[in-house]
Amino acid sequence: MTTAPGTPLQGLRVLDLATLFAGPLAATMLGDFGAEVIKVEHPTRPDPSRGHGPAKDGVGLWWKLLGRNKRTVTLDLSTPGGRATLLRLATTADVIIENFRPGTLEKWQLGWDELSSANPRLVLTRVTAFGQFGPYSHRPGFGTLAEAMSGFASITGEPEGPPTLPPFGLADSIAALATAYAVMTALTARTATDRGQVVDMAIIEPILTVLGPQPLWYDQLGYVQPRTGNRSRNNAPRNTYRTADGCWLAVSTSAQSIAERVMHLVGRPELIDEPWFATGSGRAENADVLDEAVGGWIARHTRDDAMAAFEKAEAAIAPIYDIRDVMEDPQYQALDTVTEVPDPELGPLRMQNVLFRLSDTPGAIRWAGRPHGADTDAVLTELGLSQADITALRTQGAV
C-alpha cells in the first residue's frame, strides 16, 4: 500500500493526526488523488469517527468512508517513544494535518520549531475551531459552533421559527475542502522557496466565506439577512412545491429568462408585465403571488408530469431526493457518483466517489477505511525500525 502510480499527487506523503472531521476529510481528499496518507491514531483511543453513526458487524461505516486510502498506525505522541517516532516520520513527510488545541503539540515538543527543524520542507496544517490565536483560540470547538457563529444558523429556518442547525457536518466539510486547497497552495509555494510553512485553518472562517456578501451588506447598508425558509431575498419564485401525487419539487429562477418561462408554463404570463417582475429583488418582494401561481400549478400535476413540462420549457426544476432516490438516479449512476469499493471486512461497499474527474490523471478509491493500527508494523519497518524496536515501543505503550 503506497502511492498510486499515475495519479496527480503520487509521491506526496501526508501524516493525518487529526480527528472529527475537517482535518481527516481533507486528508481523505488528498489520498483520493494519490497521496500516501498515514493515519496516526492513539493506541487505545482511536479516531472517534470509528464509533460514530451506524455500524455493521461492529465495524463503523463512517470510518470506512473517512478512512479510505489511508494506512493506519498507532502512536502515543505524549510519550518519548511516540514523539521520537513521529519526528522520524516527519522527516519523510510533505504534510502533517493536526487538530489538537493550540499548544498541545508544543507541550509534547512537537511544535513547528521541532517539526520544521526535522524537515524544513514540511507543511504543518493546523485545523481548529477558532484558529491558533485570539481570545477563543484555546476553547474546545466543533463544526456546530461554526455553524452557529458564522451566521449560517441565523439565516436558516422559517421566518417565525428558531435558528436551524444542519443535520450533518456542514462547517467541517467546508473547512475540509478549504484545508485541502490550503495544503496544495502551500505546496505550490514550496516549489519556489523550497521551504514549508504553517497553515492555520479556523473552522469558523470558510463557512462564513461561502455565506456570501453578508459582511459587505452590513458594512455598507446595515442590512442583516433574515430567515426566509426556502425562499430567497434575491429572486422568486424559489421554493419547494408539493405535487398532486404527494412528492416535492424545488424550483429556482435566478435568471430573468427562466422566471419568464415559468410564468408562461404555469399560465400566468401577465405577471411578466408587472414592473416589479423585471428584477430578482422585485420578484422576491412579491413571492406570495409567484408562489401561489407556481405552487398552484404544480399541485395539479404529478411529479413526472411537472418535471417533464418544466424540462420542455427549459426551466430549472429538481425533485427533492432522499438517499434512496440518490442511489437510483440515472444521472448519478452515469457519473458513478456513488461507487462500489471492495472491503475485506464487510465485502462490497457503496460510497461517494472521488470529488471530481480528471481526464488524464484521475483519482481513485484504492481501499476503504482499515482497522485500527493495521499498518503500524509495516510503516515503522519501512521507516527503518527493527522488530525489536517496534516491540520495545509497544511495551512502552508508545504504539
Side-chain angles (χ1 to χ4, degrees):
M1 290 185 179
T2 56
T3 52
T7 51
L9 300 185
Q10 179 184 0
L12 187 72
R13 174 173 267 200
V14 178
L15 305 183
D16 174 9
L17 314 185
T19 58
L20 292 180
F21 281 100
L25 182 55
T28 302
M29 293 174 183
L30 299 173
D32 284 350
F33 286 90
E36 180 192 8
V37 180
I38 298 176
K39 175 71 177 181
V40 179
E41 298 174 85
H42 192 277
T44 60
R45 298 191 299 274
D47 189 313
S49 68
R50 291 182 181 272
H52 266 54
K56 180 182 178 182
D57 299 335
V59 178
L61 296 176
W62 203 329
W63 169 252
K64 287 296 178 183
L65 174 67
L66 192 64
R68 73 189 191 191
N69 293 335
K70 298 180 184 181
R71 305 172 79 189
T72 62
V73 305
T74 59
L75 283 179
D76 183 347
L77 304 182
S78 67
T79 65
R83 174 185 181 274
T85 305
L86 184 73
L87 284 174
R88 195 162 174 173
L89 273 172
T91 64
T92 72
D94 299 281
V95 179
I96 288 179
I97 300 176
E98 63 95 2
N99 70 339
F100 299 104
R101 287 198 217 179
T104 300
L105 284 184
E106 286 74 11
K107 178 179 67 176
W108 296 333
Q109 297 182 319
L110 288 170
W112 175 239
D113 290 345
E114 291 85 0
L115 291 170
S116 62
S117 178
N119 181 359
R121 302 184 76 247
L122 183 70
V123 171
L124 175 60
T125 307
R126 318 194 76 167
V127 185
T128 57
F130 302 108
Q132 295 295 308
F133 57 91
Y136 303 160
S137 60
H138 284 81
R139 291 183 182 177
F142 299 97
T144 297
L145 306 190
E147 290 146 11
M149 292 178 61
S150 63
F152 171 84
S154 176
I155 64 170
T156 304
E158 294 300 322
E160 303 305 320
T164 302
L165 295 167
F168 67 101
L170 176 63
D172 277 312
S173 299
I174 296 171
L177 287 162
T179 299
Y181 166 54
V183 165
M184 299 312 300
T185 301
L187 290 173
T188 300
R190 190 180 70 173
T191 62
T193 65
D194 202 38
R195 291 193 61 82
Q197 59 184 299
V198 177
V199 173
D200 179 4
M201 177 62 65
I203 296 173
I204 60 173
E205 292 184 305
I207 188 172
L208 180 58
T209 296
V210 303
L211 286 175
Q214 288 194 49
L216 184 60
W217 286 340
Y218 180 73
D219 175 65
Q220 295 296 304
L221 302 172
Y223 175 73
V224 178
Q225 184 174 341
R227 287 190 291 283
T228 56
N230 289 324
R231 288 180 173 179
S232 167
R233 283 293 181 100
N234 303 314
N235 68 83
R238 191 264 197 183
N239 213 325
T240 59
Y241 307 95
R242 194 168 189 175
T243 65
D245 52 348
C247 300
W248 289 90
L249 301 174
V251 172
S252 177
T253 58
S254 296
Q256 180 72 21
S257 59
I258 291 181
E260 293 177 4
R261 290 175 201 159
V262 169
M263 290 302 103
H264 282 290
L265 172 63
V266 302
R268 298 295 301 277
E270 75 280 3
L271 294 176
I272 298 172
D273 297 326
E274 295 287 347
W276 48 261
F277 196 91
T279 65
S281 57
R283 295 196 306 275
E285 291 174 0
N286 292 270
D288 286 344
V289 174
L290 297 173
D291 275 347
E292 181 181 1
V294 175
W297 185 91
I298 288 178
R300 297 190 298 272
H301 294 76
T302 65
R303 186 188 78 164
D304 290 347
D305 287 346
M307 289 281 297
F310 266 74
E311 289 176 13
K312 183 177 180 180
E314 298 184 354
I317 193 169
I320 304 295
Y321 277 175
D322 64 23
I323 191 58
R324 294 167 295 187
D325 303 307
V326 171
M327 301 288 266
E328 296 173 1
D329 182 85
Q331 181 61 34
Y332 280 129
Q333 290 177 353
L335 296 174
D336 197 27
T337 305
V338 178
T339 196
E340 187 171 282
V341 180
D343 182 70
E345 287 187 285
L346 298 178
L349 306 172
R350 286 193 291 171
M351 64 175 66
Q352 298 95 319
N353 209 336
V354 300
L355 196 58
F356 49 86
R357 286 162 291 279
L358 296 178
S359 62
D360 293 339
T361 55
I365 304 171
R366 303 186 297 284
W367 61 84
R370 288 172 55 73
H372 180 230
D375 304 292
T376 299
D377 285 21
V379 170
L380 297 188
T381 298
E382 293 165 10
L383 201 57
L385 276 68
S386 67
Q387 191 57 53
D389 295 329
I390 298 171
T391 299
L393 288 171
R394 191 162 277 124
T395 300
Q396 299 165 18
V399 301

